[in-house]
Amino acid sequence: MSRTLQLTEQLISLPSVTPEDAGCLELLADALTPMGFTCERLDSGPADFRVKNLWAKRSPTQNQSTQDAIGSDRPVLVFAGHTDVVPPGPLKEWTSPPFVPMHRDGKLYGRGASDMKTSIAAFVVALEEFLQATPEPAFDIALLLTSDEEGPSVDGTKVVVEQLRQRGERLDWCIVGEPTSVKQTGDMIKNGRRGTMSGKLTVNGVQGHIAYPQLARNPIHEALPALAELAATVWDHGNAFFPPTSWQISNIHGGTGASNVIPGHVVIDFNFRFCTESSSDSLQKRVHEILDRHGVEYSLIWTVGGQPFLTTPGTLVQAVQAAIKDETGLDTELSTTGGTSDGRFIAQICPQVIEMGPPNASIHKIDEHIAVADIEPLKNIYRKTLEQLQRQQTAPQTA
């Protein structure tokens, strides 16, 4: 059994349903400390929902120059991920227990196999192999791990990023181990994500008997023209990396349940998934302009879940692309599709953030699994990315 597979199975066997960590971070810290990482716990949140966070960093050793030891000019690569998993769902529907790693037909089954305990194991083993061959790399290396990505995402990476910002920590490149691949490890990476913003719109009317509409005011009727315009609005046209911004209604609640009562209000929940061509402020302004023009009486509560981020092809993207090509022969596809990730928080202090991990077809499903044949290539891609960055940093500079 490979070291990566062994560590993956150890992590899967720990039932770390969000926000529980179930000992994952202790296991990982035990593996990182012998490599020279200083492991710091930055746990956060109330006692009944305590989130476990680990910031582990490896800086230059005493064998390097004083200037290097200060680290003022040394770039920093961060591997980021989450140890928490979504609940397994009905246990009777699983072919084998979700927290007992099992092999069937060349696949490893267990909750977190794809999302994302294999990636975390691959991070660690890639670092073991790289640092054994290159004990004094030309850049610092860190890991940011949390148990609050599948949950509210309030006391996890978001909190750690803010603490790192306050401390003036430098982050240059970040690889998030989200399962981004489609059919084969390495066929797709995410070099950005759309922003997400939700609104809870309440349109007020006057409740009354449905037979006497002149004595009432139907908020559903008043809201419909504005909603139709919002649904038809072109918010932007996207760009080379992002599709156009999307506005979608998710829920509408109105009425008392009786068929003879005009409701007093209607509540509409909606969501924007927006690209870098729009901002949360600009979208909010346009929504209010449409509602005000239609003359509805309303209140609107906004929740910004995350801003969009984009890493254009450069040092990190090129290193990952070259590593994937060398390991698999694939010309990887750059994509910004899908939901959100903790990359949205890290991008606030790190200029180059990408997501790269195994195939995602079974994530969050009953019988989540990963093909065993995808595990070692994933580890090798991470290691070869480190090697690519090392070559970039030590290559002679031309005038």
PDB file of all heavy atoms in Angstrom, residues 303-322:
ATOM      1  N   THR A 303     -26.899  39.336   1.654  1.00  0.00           N
ATOM      2  CA  THR A 303     -25.842  38.520   2.250  1.00  0.00           C
ATOM      3  C   THR A 303     -24.822  38.209   1.165  1.00  0.00           C
ATOM      4  O   THR A 303     -25.144  37.521   0.183  1.00  0.00           O
ATOM      5  CB  THR A 303     -26.386  37.198   2.819  1.00  0.00           C
ATOM      6  OG1 THR A 303     -27.388  37.482   3.800  1.00  0.00           O
ATOM      7  CG2 THR A 303     -25.257  36.387   3.462  1.00  0.00           C
ATOM      8  N   VAL A 304     -23.621  38.742   1.330  1.00  0.00           N
ATOM      9  CA  VAL A 304     -22.550  38.490   0.364  1.00  0.00           C
ATOM     10  C   VAL A 304     -21.755  37.286   0.849  1.00  0.00           C
ATOM     11  O   VAL A 304     -21.057  37.353   1.862  1.00  0.00           O
ATOM     12  CB  VAL A 304     -21.632  39.712   0.189  1.00  0.00           C
ATOM     13  CG1 VAL A 304     -20.527  39.414  -0.824  1.00  0.00           C
ATOM     14  CG2 VAL A 304     -22.446  40.925  -0.257  1.00  0.00           C
ATOM     15  N   GLY A 305     -21.867  36.163   0.136  1.00  0.00           N
ATOM     16  CA  GLY A 305     -21.173  34.942   0.540  1.00  0.00           C
ATOM     17  C   GLY A 305     -19.725  34.894   0.124  1.00  0.00           C
ATOM     18  O   GLY A 305     -18.919  34.182   0.729  1.00  0.00           O
ATOM     19  N   GLY A 306     -19.375  35.647  -0.909  1.00  0.00           N
ATOM     20  CA  GLY A 306     -17.987  35.656  -1.355  1.00  0.00           C
ATOM     21  C   GLY A 306     -17.845  36.461  -2.625  1.00  0.00           C
ATOM     22  O   GLY A 306     -18.744  36.490  -3.471  1.00  0.00           O
ATOM     23  N   GLN A 307     -16.718  37.130  -2.746  1.00  0.00           N
ATOM     24  CA  GLN A 307     -16.415  37.897  -3.946  1.00  0.00           C
ATOM     25  C   GLN A 307     -15.773  36.987  -4.988  1.00  0.00           C
ATOM     26  O   GLN A 307     -15.150  35.984  -4.648  1.00  0.00           O
ATOM     27  CB  GLN A 307     -15.477  39.054  -3.608  1.00  0.00           C
ATOM     28  CG  GLN A 307     -16.030  40.051  -2.609  1.00  0.00           C
ATOM     29  CD  GLN A 307     -17.189  40.868  -3.167  1.00  0.00           C
ATOM     30  OE1 GLN A 307     -17.416  40.920  -4.380  1.00  0.00           O
ATOM     31  NE2 GLN A 307     -17.933  41.523  -2.279  1.00  0.00           N
ATOM     32  N   PRO A 308     -15.901  37.311  -6.272  1.00  0.00           N
ATOM     33  CA  PRO A 308     -15.237  36.494  -7.287  1.00  0.00           C
ATOM     34  C   PRO A 308     -13.725  36.686  -7.233  1.00  0.00           C
ATOM     35  O   PRO A 308     -13.241  37.724  -6.775  1.00  0.00           O
ATOM     36  CB  PRO A 308     -15.813  37.042  -8.594  1.00  0.00           C
ATOM     37  CG  PRO A 308     -16.172  38.454  -8.284  1.00  0.00           C
ATOM     38  CD  PRO A 308     -16.616  38.457  -6.847  1.00  0.00           C
ATOM     39  N   PHE A 309     -13.008  35.672  -7.667  1.00  0.00           N
ATOM     40  CA  PHE A 309     -11.560  35.821  -7.794  1.00  0.00           C
ATOM     41  C   PHE A 309     -11.100  35.145  -9.068  1.00  0.00           C
ATOM     42  O   PHE A 309     -11.759  34.242  -9.586  1.00  0.00           O
ATOM     43  CB  PHE A 309     -10.819  35.273  -6.570  1.00  0.00           C
ATOM     44  CG  PHE A 309     -10.813  33.771  -6.454  1.00  0.00           C
ATOM     45  CD1 PHE A 309      -9.799  33.006  -7.015  1.00  0.00           C
ATOM     46  CD2 PHE A 309     -11.821  33.107  -5.759  1.00  0.00           C
ATOM     47  CE1 PHE A 309      -9.784  31.623  -6.900  1.00  0.00           C
ATOM     48  CE2 PHE A 309     -11.812  31.719  -5.638  1.00  0.00           C
ATOM     49  CZ  PHE A 309     -10.794  30.977  -6.209  1.00  0.00           C
ATOM     50  N   LEU A 310      -9.965  35.609  -9.580  1.00  0.00           N
ATOM     51  CA  LEU A 310      -9.428  35.084 -10.830  1.00  0.00           C
ATOM     52  C   LEU A 310      -7.911  35.109 -10.772  1.00  0.00           C
ATOM     53  O   LEU A 310      -7.313  36.106 -10.383  1.00  0.00           O
ATOM     54  CB  LEU A 310      -9.907  35.919 -12.017  1.00  0.00           C
ATOM     55  CG  LEU A 310      -9.354  35.521 -13.386  1.00  0.00           C
ATOM     56  CD1 LEU A 310      -9.856  34.147 -13.802  1.00  0.00           C
ATOM     57  CD2 LEU A 310      -9.733  36.576 -14.436  1.00  0.00           C
ATOM     58  N   THR A 311      -7.301  33.986 -11.137  1.00  0.00           N
ATOM     59  CA  THR A 311      -5.854  33.909 -11.281  1.00  0.00           C
ATOM     60  C   THR A 311      -5.559  33.693 -12.759  1.00  0.00           C
ATOM     61  O   THR A 311      -5.825  32.616 -13.299  1.00  0.00           O
ATOM     62  CB  THR A 311      -5.271  32.754 -10.451  1.00  0.00           C
ATOM     63  OG1 THR A 311      -5.560  32.975  -9.067  1.00  0.00           O
ATOM     64  CG2 THR A 311      -3.768  32.639 -10.646  1.00  0.00           C
ATOM     65  N   THR A 312      -5.072  34.729 -13.412  1.00  0.00           N
ATOM     66  CA  THR A 312      -4.742  34.604 -14.825  1.00  0.00           C
ATOM     67  C   THR A 312      -3.466  33.783 -14.984  1.00  0.00           C
ATOM     68  O   THR A 312      -2.660  33.683 -14.055  1.00  0.00           O
ATOM     69  CB  THR A 312      -4.560  35.991 -15.464  1.00  0.00           C
ATOM     70  OG1 THR A 312      -3.579  36.723 -14.721  1.00  0.00           O
ATOM     71  CG2 THR A 312      -5.873  36.771 -15.456  1.00  0.00           C
ATOM     72  N   PRO A 313      -3.281  33.153 -16.147  1.00  0.00           N
ATOM     73  CA  PRO A 313      -2.090  32.319 -16.338  1.00  0.00           C
ATOM     74  C   PRO A 313      -0.808  33.082 -16.018  1.00  0.00           C
ATOM     75  O   PRO A 313      -0.575  34.172 -16.517  1.00  0.00           O
ATOM     76  CB  PRO A 313      -2.179  31.943 -17.818  1.00  0.00           C
ATOM     77  CG  PRO A 313      -3.653  31.915 -18.095  1.00  0.00           C
ATOM     78  CD  PRO A 313      -4.212  33.050 -17.275  1.00  0.00           C
ATOM     79  N   GLY A 314      -0.016  32.483 -15.137  1.00  0.00           N
ATOM     80  CA  GLY A 314       1.235  33.074 -14.678  1.00  0.00           C
ATOM     81  C   GLY A 314       2.044  32.007 -13.973  1.00  0.00           C
ATOM     82  O   GLY A 314       1.937  30.816 -14.286  1.00  0.00           O
ATOM     83  N   THR A 315       2.817  32.406 -12.975  1.00  0.00           N
ATOM     84  CA  THR A 315       3.747  31.495 -12.318  1.00  0.00           C
ATOM     85  C   THR A 315       3.073  30.222 -11.822  1.00  0.00           C
ATOM     86  O   THR A 315       3.498  29.107 -12.128  1.00  0.00           O
ATOM     87  CB  THR A 315       4.424  32.208 -11.133  1.00  0.00           C
ATOM     88  OG1 THR A 315       5.097  33.360 -11.616  1.00  0.00           O
ATOM     89  CG2 THR A 315       5.430  31.287 -10.458  1.00  0.00           C
ATOM     90  N   LEU A 316       1.988  30.361 -11.045  1.00  0.00           N
ATOM     91  CA  LEU A 316       1.372  29.188 -10.433  1.00  0.00           C
ATOM     92  C   LEU A 316       0.628  28.343 -11.462  1.00  0.00           C
ATOM     93  O   LEU A 316       0.778  27.122 -11.494  1.00  0.00           O
ATOM     94  CB  LEU A 316       0.419  29.617  -9.316  1.00  0.00           C
ATOM     95  CG  LEU A 316      -0.273  28.468  -8.572  1.00  0.00           C
ATOM     96  CD1 LEU A 316       0.742  27.533  -7.926  1.00  0.00           C
ATOM     97  CD2 LEU A 316      -1.244  29.009  -7.528  1.00  0.00           C
ATOM     98  N   VAL A 317      -0.183  28.976 -12.295  1.00  0.00           N
ATOM     99  CA  VAL A 317      -0.935  28.220 -13.301  1.00  0.00           C
ATOM    100  C   VAL A 317       0.017  27.463 -14.217  1.00  0.00           C
ATOM    101  O   VAL A 317      -0.199  26.284 -14.526  1.00  0.00           O
ATOM    102  CB  VAL A 317      -1.850  29.159 -14.114  1.00  0.00           C
ATOM    103  CG1 VAL A 317      -2.434  28.431 -15.325  1.00  0.00           C
ATOM    104  CG2 VAL A 317      -2.980  29.700 -13.238  1.00  0.00           C
ATOM    105  N   GLN A 318       1.081  28.110 -14.631  1.00  0.00           N
ATOM    106  CA  GLN A 318       2.039  27.455 -15.522  1.00  0.00           C
ATOM    107  C   GLN A 318       2.720  26.269 -14.846  1.00  0.00           C
ATOM    108  O   GLN A 318       2.940  25.223 -15.472  1.00  0.00           O
ATOM    109  CB  GLN A 318       3.068  28.472 -16.002  1.00  0.00           C
ATOM    110  CG  GLN A 318       2.500  29.519 -16.956  1.00  0.00           C
ATOM    111  CD  GLN A 318       3.450  30.671 -17.204  1.00  0.00           C
ATOM    112  OE1 GLN A 318       4.600  30.676 -16.725  1.00  0.00           O
ATOM    113  NE2 GLN A 318       2.997  31.670 -17.956  1.00  0.00           N
ATOM    114  N   ALA A 319       3.044  26.420 -13.564  1.00  0.00           N
ATOM    115  CA  ALA A 319       3.688  25.322 -12.840  1.00  0.00           C
ATOM    116  C   ALA A 319       2.747  24.129 -12.724  1.00  0.00           C
ATOM    117  O   ALA A 319       3.154  22.968 -12.921  1.00  0.00           O
ATOM    118  CB  ALA A 319       4.130  25.789 -11.456  1.00  0.00           C
ATOM    119  N   VAL A 320       1.492  24.373 -12.410  1.00  0.00           N
ATOM    120  CA  VAL A 320       0.526  23.280 -12.280  1.00  0.00           C
ATOM    121  C   VAL A 320       0.251  22.637 -13.633  1.00  0.00           C
ATOM    122  O   VAL A 320       0.180  21.402 -13.753  1.00  0.00           O
ATOM    123  CB  VAL A 320      -0.777  23.792 -11.634  1.00  0.00           C
ATOM    124  CG1 VAL A 320      -1.828  22.689 -11.596  1.00  0.00           C
ATOM    125  CG2 VAL A 320      -0.512  24.304 -10.216  1.00  0.00           C
ATOM    126  N   GLN A 321       0.102  23.456 -14.662  1.00  0.00           N
ATOM    127  CA  GLN A 321      -0.129  22.914 -16.000  1.00  0.00           C
ATOM    128  C   GLN A 321       1.023  22.014 -16.431  1.00  0.00           C
ATOM    129  O   GLN A 321       0.807  20.931 -16.980  1.00  0.00           O
ATOM    130  CB  GLN A 321      -0.308  24.048 -17.008  1.00  0.00           C
ATOM    131  CG  GLN A 321      -1.646  24.766 -16.917  1.00  0.00           C
ATOM    132  CD  GLN A 321      -1.729  25.936 -17.876  1.00  0.00           C
ATOM    133  OE1 GLN A 321      -0.758  26.680 -18.062  1.00  0.00           O
ATOM    134  NE2 GLN A 321      -2.891  26.119 -18.484  1.00  0.00           N
ATOM    135  N   ALA A 322       2.250  22.463 -16.179  1.00  0.00           N
ATOM    136  CA  ALA A 322       3.423  21.668 -16.566  1.00  0.00           C
ATOM    137  C   ALA A 322       3.490  20.369 -15.779  1.00  0.00           C
ATOM    138  O   ALA A 322       3.839  19.312 -16.322  1.00  0.00           O
ATOM    139  CB  ALA A 322       4.696  22.485 -16.354  1.00  0.00           C
TER     140      ALA A 322
END
